[in-house]
Amino acid sequence: MLFRSALNNFSLPVSLLQMALRRNKAEQKITYGRASLIKVYINRAIRTNRLKNMKELSMSLDKTREDIGYLLGRLFAVLEKIQGEANSNLNATIGDRYFGSAGSTPIAVFGTLIRLSKHHLGKLHIGRRTNLEKLQQEIVAKIDGFPSHLNINQQGLFAIGYYHQKQDFFTKHDSNAEE
């Protein structure tokens, strides 16, 4: 099916997306390969009109994108970053504990995670706290409400939003180190 989809420019099988998302949840992380696979699936579904009223995913963080799954993925990455900077020696991060449920049933976890972030932000230096708080507020301002469930396509967007935001943190860290 995958080979035929590639040759004939058909949509990729939804089972491919399901497998990638299951592996993300099982490992509580997203690898480059799975992020690429999810992105290809979503972009192909957009091009073949299976997903309507969406623009294709870019190669890197898209701060203008307003899909709920993408925004929640970005927010989760920011909350994880806040926790990581506030407590560098944790045994289990929010990513380890909440990644699967945040990507499928956001209403169940994001209230708790945002409350915890206030505590973590209090531990940071004022400049860093301001930057991370501003980023968190920019994302939350675009979210009308936390949905009870994300459909499979939105779960894919969650994974890509999370991956893009994490890569953006890494890229900014490298460019600051070089300066």
Side-chain angles (χ1 to χ4, degrees), residues 113-156:
L113 296 178
I114 290 172
R115 275 193 307 277
L116 285 173
S117 76
K118 301 300 180 200
H119 172 71
H120 297 310
L121 283 166
K123 295 180 180 180
L124 299 177
H125 175 63
I126 187 73
R128 187 63 178 149
R129 175 178 40 198
T130 303
N131 290 340
L132 288 171
E133 205 168 25
K134 182 180 175 194
L135 180 57
Q136 179 183 352
Q137 289 170 357
E138 286 173 5
I139 297 168
V140 169
K142 295 179 182 181
I143 298 172
D144 291 332
F146 294 101
S148 57
H149 291 87
L150 293 179
N151 66 34
I152 190 143
N153 296 317
Q154 290 296 333
Q155 288 178 34

Side-chain angles (χ1 to χ4, degrees), residues 3-93:
F3 185 69
R4 190 172 49 133
S5 297
L7 288 178
N8 296 317
N9 200 26
F10 293 155
S11 295
L12 296 171
V14 72
S15 60
L16 195 62
L17 177 61
Q18 291 169 335
M19 286 188 293
L21 292 173
R22 269 198 307 269
R23 288 305 315 152
N24 288 344
K25 286 179 185 176
E27 294 179 12
Q28 302 292 316
K29 66 178 182 177
I30 302 170
T31 63
Y32 173 78
R34 283 194 300 269
S36 299
L37 186 64
I38 293 167
K39 186 175 152 223
V40 166
Y41 174 87
I42 291 172
N43 282 344
R44 182 67 65 94
I46 291 168
R47 278 188 230 129
T48 58
N49 290 325
R50 271 191 34 209
L51 291 176
K52 295 179 182 357
N53 301 324
M54 262 191 197
K55 64 179 183 174
E56 288 190 24
L57 291 164
S58 62
M59 292 294 289
S60 58
L61 182 65
D62 183 356
K63 292 185 177 184
T64 63
R65 192 168 197 100
E66 296 193 6
D67 300 303
I68 189 67
Y70 192 82
L71 290 172
L72 291 174
R74 287 188 60 206
L75 179 59
F76 191 77
V78 170
L79 295 172
E80 188 177 48
K81 179 75 169 168
I82 291 169
Q83 182 197 35
E85 288 191 17
N87 303 304
S88 59
N89 58 351
L90 290 174
N91 291 337
T93 66

Side-chain angles (χ1 to χ4, degrees), residues 157-168:
L157 287 168
F158 176 91
I160 298 301
Y162 175 79
Y163 186 80
H164 279 175
Q165 188 66 60
K166 297 252 320 174
Q167 290 303 307
D168 189 62

